Amino acid sequence: MSQSIQDSIALVTGANRGIGKAIVEALLARGAAKVYAGARNPDSLADLVAASGGKVVPLQLDVTDQGQVDAAASAASDATIVVNNAGVALHGDMFDNSLKGPEREFAVNYWGVLRMTRAFAPQLKTRGSGTIANVSSIAGLTNFPMFPTYSDSKAAVHSLTQGTRHLLTGTGVKVLGVYPGPVDTDLAKDIEFTKETPANVANTILDAIESGAEEVFTDEMARDYAPAYEAGHKALELGTREMLAQEQA
Ligand SMILES: NC(=O)c1ccc[n+]([C@@H]2O[C@H](COP(=O)([O-])OP(=O)(O)OC[C@H]3O[C@@H](n4cnc5c(N)ncnc54)[C@H](OP(=O)(O)O)[C@@H]3O)[C@@H](O)[C@H]2O)c1
């Protein structure tokens, strides 16, 4: 089952910069009819909106704010592609005395995706089609000790993605897990690795949405993780799916 980007209506969180902005631009380049661009400060979307010929609809959307998430689900009830991209990496010392950094990482990266999923999944399910794409990270598959609590939050996104996929199996709604390695954005500015461009990552994500894939590894470093993922995490997920299907039969 595949989903065409041409003439589609999409919503992207964290759309004002980095990977999110690149996804909006890539959606437009592939002929999306309308893109709801979520940002905490809609003024930061001005250039995207101005360049889009009316196709980008700005939405005030802080994913930690339940009222704004509910308002977005209502305003964008015609969206068939929902990209949960917004994220933060606060790179704190795991052993310091404050939980502020990890709590913020979980509030945005995990609870934000859960809020969005709860708001949008029912309407996609009713339509019987669409894609929810959740941006996790290869750091969600194995903990990177330079950002341990960020990795924890991305592991939670990975698990949430699997759970959402299990629950939406058979509804026509696809759930895509996105696993980038280092990408050249503000979030990764202090990381020394070779970084992929946001534009290439965005196009790889859209290819995956169009092909109906269940996960995508968006760059060279991430693709090195794919074989171990397929043999490990994915094999366990598919085994669980089969076991549940047999129990329900
Ligand atoms: N860059 C990498 O190497 C890398 C690797 C793996 C995964 N990722 C993931 O890719 C996604 C995009 O990150 P990026 O690299 O593009 O980082 P970025 O350039 O720092 O962009 C982060 C985006 O998230 C938004 N955001 C932060 N808190 C938010 C909130 N509470 N509600 C709504 N939006 C919020 C930011 O908006 P403001 O401008 O308002 O702050 C910004 O638009 C994240 O989920 C990140 O974890 C990135």
Side-chain angles (χ1 to χ4, degrees):
M1 186 176 36
S2 62
Q3 166 143 25
S4 176
I5 303 293
Q6 176 82 39
D7 299 325
S8 66
I9 299 176
L11 180 147
V12 182
T13 66
N16 55 313
R17 60 192 170 96
I19 297 169
K21 183 178 185 184
I23 294 171
V24 174
E25 290 169 338
L27 283 162
L28 294 174
R30 292 192 191 200
K34 197 193 310 182
V35 183
Y36 295 101
R40 295 191 293 176
N41 173 10
D43 292 346
S44 62
L45 297 162
D47 60 337
L48 268 181
V49 174
S52 75
K55 290 185 175 168
V56 171
V57 179
L59 285 182
Q60 179 161 34
L61 181 50
D62 180 331
V63 297
T64 68
D65 182 321
Q66 188 63 48
Q68 290 185 14
V69 170
D70 291 341
S74 169
S77 61
D78 53 352
T80 59
I81 298 170
V82 177
V83 184
N84 289 312
N85 162 76
V88 292
L90 300 173
H91 297 201
D93 176 356
M94 194 172 87
F95 299 123
D96 75 10
N97 287 326
S98 172
L99 285 175
K100 251 177 124 175
E103 281 175 352
R104 184 70 187 162
E105 287 169 331
F106 269 82
V108 178
N109 300 353
Y110 173 73
W111 290 102
V113 178
L114 181 61
R115 285 179 202 282
M116 287 290 296
T117 303
R118 288 163 60 101
F120 279 87
Q123 55 202 42
L124 292 172
K125 207 171 148 183
T126 300
R127 188 181 286 113
S129 63
T131 301
I132 297 172
N134 293 339
V135 181
S136 177
S137 168
I138 56 168
L141 301 178
T142 182
N143 197 291
F144 278 63
M146 59 283 245
F147 29 81
T149 57
Y150 168 78
S151 302
D152 298 343
S153 71
K154 289 298 183 176
V157 174
H158 168 63
S159 182
L160 170 59
T161 302
Q162 285 188 323
T164 307
R165 188 179 297 127
H166 278 307
L167 291 169
L168 293 180
T169 295
T171 66
V173 182
K174 300 289 292 185
V175 180
L176 172 67
V178 180
Y179 303 92
V183 187
D184 193 9
T185 68
D186 295 341
L187 183 140
K189 64 180 184 316
D190 299 327
I191 296 170
E192 296 297 328
F193 294 113
T194 304
K195 295 169 199 168
E196 184 56 274
T197 66
N200 283 349
V201 169
N203 275 302
T204 303
I205 294 170
L206 295 196
D207 287 346
I209 292 173
E210 291 201 302
S211 72
E214 294 195 351
E215 44 276 311
V216 60
F217 296 84
T218 61
D219 51 274
E220 201 180 332
M221 182 168 170
R223 278 188 283 275
D224 284 345
Y225 283 71
Y229 176 83
E230 294 294 339
H233 288 250
K234 193 64 189 176
L236 285 171
E237 179 189 339
L238 292 174
T240 305
R241 194 183 298 175
E242 200 173 313
M243 179 191 74
L244 292 174
Q246 277 170 7
E247 266 181 22
Q248 281 157 10

